[in-house]
Amino acid sequence: MSRYCADCHGLFSAMPAYRAPAWLPGGHLQTIYPATCIAKPAVAFRRERWDTPCGADFIDLDLVDAPAASSANASPGASDAPCVLLFHGLEGSSDSHYARALMAQVAARGWHGVIPHFRGCSGEANLAPRFYHSGDAEELDWIIRRLRPRYRGPLYVAGVSLGGNALLRWLGEQQHGAAIVDAAVAVSAPLDLAAGGAALSTGLNRVYTRMFLETLKPKALAKLEQFPGLFDRERLLAARDLYAFDNVVTAPLHGYRDTDDYWHRASARHVLHDIVVPTLVLNARNDPFLPGRHLPASAAPAVTLEYPDGGGHVGFPTGPFPGRIDWLPRRILSFFDDVAGRPDPHPPADHMRAPDAGRLCQA
């Protein structure tokens, strides 16, 4: 069984702590290289489309079915295998490097996996006059509650970057109501959105902002074609950072007064002491999106705070050159194993090494 560690906050894991490879120093390289230069494993997804509760929109989910549920006559949850649900980051998808890496290991275990796409992130524009945001706990709530009855085994939830912040918001807001899931992991979540936004607006970090805006702005312009007058087109075109974009688009479309109101109210740091479900919060201290000095020092007893010195933003590369991206999915699954008292069924693998092009702007 898991036990508590005197040197960290929360559950102790037998899995070795993260150590960045010497040949890949610094938070920027540890962020960019895994996303762009390490091959993503192939994953056979099955897509479902769900109508949203309002009936006026949809989301697309990509699923991995456990073997017993893959036969023609079996229902998706016919197996007692655990299910891992993953909420992706800003402008991410099931094709993001971390999503493919996690779902490959989920499939290798014979588990179920589900990746819901936030609205507009599945390759097709959504229908309603809204997108998605860091505090979208209500969106997570209906998705998780619809999925829970489908699977007989444990339900685990992970969130990455924006998806990690939204997951922590849901866990903290729901408190005991979130006990429909067995454990949760948030990776590289921007726990303090104002501090993260400020970091992304300075120096070399502006390259990440520009890459986000390269996809966010066209989506917003297309939304204006659907809903003329929804927001100010000229102010959108003039936006040069996420603060300005959120002021024009994200905040007003999702019930916030402005960016300051959105970033304050949606930050997960406010609810870390309210979480009762076993939860791992994993953030690298050299994450360019949220520098280590802004990481919270305390949380509820159910929350494990794990802050390795290296890893970048959703990077955590390991191994000799050209590196691997299997440490992060192994850490996520090992936490779920720790909570359940299971041994790790798969030791580190020597695959996912070949260089491959990827998209940096999948946070």
Side-chain angles (χ1 to χ4, degrees), residues 64-356:
V64 171
D65 294 322
S70 300
S71 63
N73 298 322
S75 64
S79 165
D80 288 331
C83 176
V84 176
L85 172 61
L86 173 67
F87 291 100
H88 63 76
L90 181 63
E91 293 301 274
S93 72
S94 62
D95 192 50
S96 297
H97 65 290
Y98 54 82
R100 292 257 294 267
L102 176 59
M103 289 298 141
Q105 293 205 19
V106 166
R109 287 182 172 218
W111 291 10
H112 303 281
V114 183
I115 302 178
H117 290 90
F118 288 118
R119 303 194 199 194
C121 291
S122 65
E124 183 175 340
N126 67 304
L127 304 177
R130 60 154 294 170
F131 291 111
Y132 61 101
H133 62 94
S134 293
D136 213 352
E138 184 177 355
E139 184 87 333
L140 271 65
D141 188 63
W142 76 263
I143 294 171
I144 294 170
R145 294 189 186 282
R146 178 166 170 176
L147 277 170
R148 175 65 276 190
R150 175 183 290 200
Y151 297 103
R152 300 201 305 247
L155 178 61
Y156 302 123
V157 188
V160 169
S161 196
L162 176 148
N165 189 90
L167 173 59
L168 292 171
R169 289 294 318 187
W170 178 78
L171 291 164
E173 291 175 20
Q174 290 292 317
Q175 298 185 22
H176 290 284
I180 60 171
V181 305
D182 294 89
V185 175
V187 178
S188 301
L191 306 169
D192 184 331
L193 291 169
L200 287 173
S201 299
T202 59
L204 183 59
N205 286 358
R206 290 174 181 168
V207 69
Y208 305 112
T209 297
R210 286 196 297 269
M211 298 187 82
F212 284 131
L213 292 177
E214 283 177 1
T215 57
L216 288 170
K217 281 188 173 183
K219 286 183 179 180
L221 290 170
K223 190 63 68 179
L224 272 180
E225 295 292 324
Q226 289 178 283
F227 301 95
L230 186 62
F231 44 79
D232 190 312
R233 185 177 188 275
E234 296 308 313
R235 288 180 63 206
L236 166 66
L237 293 174
R240 294 292 179 266
D241 55 28
L242 293 178
Y243 186 95
F245 179 87
D246 285 348
N247 239 351
V248 178
V249 180
T250 312
L253 258 59
H254 301 104
Y256 298 99
R257 184 180 65 251
D258 53 23
T259 297
D260 291 328
D261 183 47
Y262 165 43
W263 285 1
H264 174 71
R265 288 168 53 197
S267 290
R269 65 185 178 90
H270 301 303
V271 299
L272 291 180
H273 286 274
D274 299 323
I275 295 171
V276 300
V277 170
T279 299
L280 171 65
V281 176
L282 175 62
N283 286 71
R285 293 188 180 276
N286 69 349
D287 185 341
F289 290 35
L290 186 68
R293 64 182 179 275
H294 299 295
L295 294 173
S298 64
V303 177
T304 298
L305 301 177
E306 186 168 311
Y307 302 149
D309 290 334
H313 186 77
V314 203
F316 301 100
T318 56
F321 181 84
R324 304 192 311 272
I325 54 172
D326 59 349
W327 185 89
L328 179 57
R330 287 182 55 239
R331 181 66 190 103
I332 293 171
L333 296 181
S334 75
F335 181 78
F336 298 150
D337 291 336
D338 290 342
V339 171
R342 284 187 303 265
D344 182 354
H346 292 283
D350 288 326
H351 57 291
M352 295 184 279
R353 288 176 177 259
D356 186 32

